[in-house]
Amino acid sequence: MDTARFIHKSEYEWMLPPSGAMRVPVVIYASEELMREMDEKVREQAVNVAMLPGIQRASFAMPDAHWGYGFPIGGVAAFDADQGGVVSAGGVGFDISCGVRALRTGLTRAGIARALKPLADELSRAIPAGVGSTGRVHLSLAEMDHMLTGGARWAVKEGYGTPRDLEHSEEQGCIAGAEPDHVSAHAKARQQDEMGTLGSGNHYLEVQEVAEIYDDSIARTYGLQPGGIIVSIHCGSRGLGHQIGTDFLKKMIISAAAHGFVLPERELACAPIHSPTGRQYLGAMRAGINCALANRQILTHLTRKAFATVFPGAELTLLYDVSHNTCKVEEHFVGGERKQLYVHRKGATRAFGPGHPGVPQAWREAGQPVLIGGSMGTCSYILAGTLESENLAFSSAVHGAGRAMSRHQALHHWQGRQIVDELAGRGILIRCRSMRGVAEEAPAAYKDVSAVVDAADRAGLARKIAKLLPVICIKG
Amino acid sequence: MNRPRWEHFAHASDIGVRGIGETKESAFEQAALAAIAVMTDVAAVRADEEIRAACHAPDDALLLVDWINAVVFAVATRKMLFGRFEVRLDGPRLRGKMWGEKIDIDRHQPCVEIKGATCTEARVFRDKRGAWIAQCVVDV
């Protein structure tokens, strides 16, 4: 990206003042190097978002921003419904509420060394992953509606976890305002056999070792210690969320003209929050969020069972569950005034700072855990929300590395078996049913997650707490 | 002669699918094959069972997106892959047939599922040689 167009406000903040139809500036948080590597499309898309009605303060992009669908991936934008604000299906993305949950195991790297292979095999057996896999939970349409309104609370009630899990989950495991009636029959059909499945692509379940601690005090609060074993699960709302995105993208494109929107890019399609399409999407999208929360809760249950087989007595406790493709109603300050805003985070993680009432009691003093996934073979991070993040980007941070190379290019560079063998040589066990899938997900096909996390830390979006290295990766 | 064929084109994080044919129908059929090829080797898919789909959209680009989404829906709900397609167009309406078989993980080695077809790079047009091109990016 050409940085000359931007005002370099501070080392990690770049601002493009409003011009033309832009209602607010564009603000990108990144190092100079990340800015130079960033796709020009990020600027274009962030500028388009800055033109949308009701947008507040700025159209933000995180250090991991890249070319998305209408909104940049890594984009954050908040809208005031009473100022004609909009909700956008593209601003949430196809994989509604895709996110990461991290579980502490109470085990150590040294303690699991003797049984790494059996653990990898057991997890591979227990976790349905990849194209064509089906879950062991099959829902009738009535049960589906209960799941869509109840989220992880529904899952816990059905026996997949404990009430303590809910305390440590964003929204306490269930977002209010879900309306299953606005979820199409097609979307529900896609989900009937997909509860408790990981999906494919960049989704994974990883057993990870805490390799480095950057903040002793918060790490202790979070229950993290060097050598400790964590399980991270990265997945979303599966077929149901994908279909809601598909259904409403078309609806919003068709209704755009009626709302007087001239879309520079079709995927920027949106609807006024105070409109039938806007309200229907919000109801359906929240059902999608609950589906993702329930899905990760069921996967947690399956993970616990797999661990219990290999390490009887191991207690897996939830650190946190946070999504990075959402639109949520939150209170934020704009011009000194507290307002209720519809905050879109597409490929961006909510990052509430210390004292925020939305943070679980146990972590409230430290700030919300922010879980950043890597790709197999590379590291992941746990960060904590900061107080200053509220003023920077509505309490938001990065979500992961993002691809550096297309799947197409990756296939020409690597073979799946070669990657599995190389990672095994480094002590990382991969379980994946498709070697082509492994090649497409080669670690080197992704950007350097550490550079992205460092930029988020230095910009003040979130604070680095711990670095995790993969030990076992169950690849979707 | 515009031999029917498909290809993928690069996109930063996802994949572009492109069908090329003598007719618009043929380009749509080839685009569907390109979508299946995102997931598996099309040549390994047996055309055993027939599934039908119908789509309706206000313009060609959205109709293509709808058609690819109909294929994605059939893959997701029937746990099938498809190796042959037939498309009939009538203005804003499409009637499609697809032939395929249940997913066999070991034989098909499916690598990634498509979440949905997107409007990014979605275009249906004739190129300089007169061939019909139908293309869009799919989110994986």
Side-chain angles (χ1 to χ4, degrees), chain A residues 104-107 164 304 311-317:
Chain A
R104 297 157 303 182
T105 66
L107 301 167
R164 265 196 78 194
R304 284 175 173 149
F311 296 105
E315 195 189 350
L316 275 63
T317 56

Side-chain angles (χ1 to χ4, degrees), chain B residues 88-107:
Chain B
R88 291 284 170 266
L89 294 173
D90 179 12
R93 293 178 194 285
L94 177 152
R95 291 194 180 282
K97 292 180 188 171
M98 45 195 118
W99 288 268
E101 61 170 327
K102 289 281 179 201
I103 296 173
D104 177 331
I105 304 278
D106 293 330
R107 188 158 50 83

Side-chain angles (χ1 to χ4, degrees), chain A residues 277-353:
Chain A
T277 304
R279 281 190 291 269
Q280 286 165 17
Y281 176 68
L282 284 167
M285 186 263 305
R286 289 167 183 153
I289 290 177
N290 283 336
C291 179
L293 293 168
N295 193 46
R296 290 196 286 271
Q297 187 63 45
I298 295 173
L299 287 167
T300 299
H301 173 76
L302 298 175
T303 305
R304 284 175 173 149
K305 279 177 73 176
F307 264 78
T309 306
V310 185
F311 296 105
E315 195 189 350
L316 275 63
T317 56
L318 186 57
L319 170 62
Y320 202 55
D321 180 306
V322 65
S323 303
H324 46 235
N325 285 351
T326 57
C327 173
K328 290 188 172 172
V329 180
E330 296 170 5
E331 283 195 346
H332 292 283
F333 284 97
V334 181
E337 188 191 343
R338 184 178 278 280
K339 289 177 122 183
Q340 195 178 64
L341 302 178
Y342 289 72
V343 185
H344 292 65
R345 294 186 182 90
K346 168 67 195 116
T349 309
R350 184 153 87 176
F352 285 152

Side-chain angles (χ1 to χ4, degrees), chain A residues 86-140:
Chain A
V86 295
V87 61
S88 167
V92 171
F94 279 95
D95 197 356
I96 295 168
S97 205
C98 182
V100 182
R101 79 165 34 195
L103 300 154
R104 297 157 303 182
T105 66
L107 301 167
T108 63
R109 178 72 175 84
I112 67 167
R114 65 178 169 84
L116 268 192
K117 192 173 172 300
L119 180 60
D121 292 341
E122 193 54 39
L123 285 167
S124 177
R125 262 194 297 276
I127 306 293
V131 184
S133 60
T134 53
R136 291 164 184 87
V137 182
H138 303 279
L139 300 182
S140 67

Side-chain angles (χ1 to χ4, degrees), chain A residues 128-349:
Chain A
V131 184
S133 60
T134 53
R136 291 164 184 87
V137 182
H138 303 279
L139 300 182
S140 67
L141 285 177
E143 289 167 329
M144 176 83 66
D145 284 359
H146 289 311
M147 180 275 287
L148 294 177
T149 48
R153 283 186 206 163
W154 166 87
V156 167
K157 227 181 257 176
E158 294 293 312
Y160 305 109
T162 71
R164 265 196 78 194
D165 294 337
L166 302 176
E167 289 169 25
H168 288 191
S169 183
E170 201 177 20
E171 316 294 348
Q172 288 81 52
C174 173
I175 192 165
E179 296 191 44
D181 288 351
H182 295 313
V183 177
S184 70
H186 265 46
K188 290 175 184 176
R190 275 180 80 167
Q191 195 58 28
Q192 274 184 306
D193 295 325
E194 292 200 352
M195 291 310 298
T197 61
L198 199 56
S200 64
N202 64 356
H203 293 161
Y204 60 77
L205 181 150
E206 270 190 3
V207 177
Q208 303 162 328
E209 173 189 2
V210 178
E212 216 170 330
I213 299 278
Y214 304 101
D215 183 313
D216 286 332
S217 165
I218 295 182
R220 258 198 310 277
T221 302
Y222 286 173
L224 305 172
Q225 47 206 315
I229 291 293
I230 301 290
V231 176
S232 289
I233 301 171
H234 175 219
C235 68
S237 49
R238 308 293 299 113
L240 181 123
H242 307 166
Q243 192 65 40
I244 292 171
T246 295
D247 293 341
F248 278 91
L249 183 68
K250 186 178 174 187
K251 265 190 200 169
M252 288 179 176
I253 287 172
I254 291 171
S255 68
H259 294 304
F261 297 151
V262 180
L263 303 173
E265 184 180 343
R266 273 188 143 176
E267 241 118 15
L268 203 60
C270 51
I273 293 160
H274 290 322
S275 71
T277 304
R279 281 190 291 269
Q280 286 165 17
Y281 176 68
L282 284 167
M285 186 263 305
R286 289 167 183 153
I289 290 177
N290 283 336
C291 179
L293 293 168
N295 193 46
R296 290 196 286 271
Q297 187 63 45
I298 295 173
L299 287 167
T300 299
H301 173 76
L302 298 175
T303 305
R304 284 175 173 149
K305 279 177 73 176
F307 264 78
T309 306
V310 185
F311 296 105
E315 195 189 350
L316 275 63
T317 56
L318 186 57
L319 170 62
Y320 202 55
D321 180 306
V322 65
S323 303
H324 46 235
N325 285 351
T326 57
C327 173
K328 290 188 172 172
V329 180
E330 296 170 5
E331 283 195 346
H332 292 283
F333 284 97
V334 181
E337 188 191 343
R338 184 178 278 280
K339 289 177 122 183
Q340 195 178 64
L341 302 178
Y342 289 72
V343 185
H344 292 65
R345 294 186 182 90
K346 168 67 195 116
T349 309

Side-chain angles (χ1 to χ4, degrees), chain A residues 39 41 66-70 73 93-95 98 129-134 185-187 189-190 193-194 198-203 238 242-243 246 249-250 253-254 265-267 403-409 433-438 440-441 476, chain B residues 7-15 36-42 55-63 65-66 69-70 72-73 75-77 79 81 103 105-106 108-122 137-140:
Chain A
D39 197 316
K41 276 278 182 187
H66 53 283
W67 181 14
Y69 297 105
I73 295 167
F94 279 95
D95 197 356
C98 182
V131 184
S133 60
T134 53
H186 265 46
R190 275 180 80 167
D193 295 325
E194 292 200 352
L198 199 56
S200 64
N202 64 356
H203 293 161
R238 308 293 299 113
H242 307 166
Q243 192 65 40
T246 295
L249 183 68
K250 186 178 174 187
I253 287 172
I254 291 171
E265 184 180 343
R266 273 188 143 176
E267 241 118 15
R403 290 192 79 93
M405 189 183 283
S406 72
R407 292 176 176 277
H408 202 66
Q409 289 169 301
R433 297 178 82 174
S434 167
M435 284 300 119
R436 177 176 154 187
V438 172
E440 290 188 3
E441 288 291 318
Chain B
E7 61 192 27
H8 291 153
F9 60 93
H11 177 269
S13 45
D14 294 303
I15 304 179
I36 296 295
V38 167
M39 298 179 257
T40 192
D41 174 7
V42 177
C55 308
H56 180 262
D59 59 58
D60 282 350
L62 269 186
L63 193 58
V65 169
D66 247 20
N69 278 327
V72 169
F73 180 76
V75 170
T77 53
K79 307 294 174 201
L81 290 166
I103 296 173
I105 304 278
D106 293 330
H108 295 129
Q109 284 278 294
C111 60
V112 69
E113 64 191 356
I114 297 177
K115 294 172 187 163
T118 77
C119 290
T120 298
E121 306 278 330
V137 169
V138 294
D139 189 356
V140 298

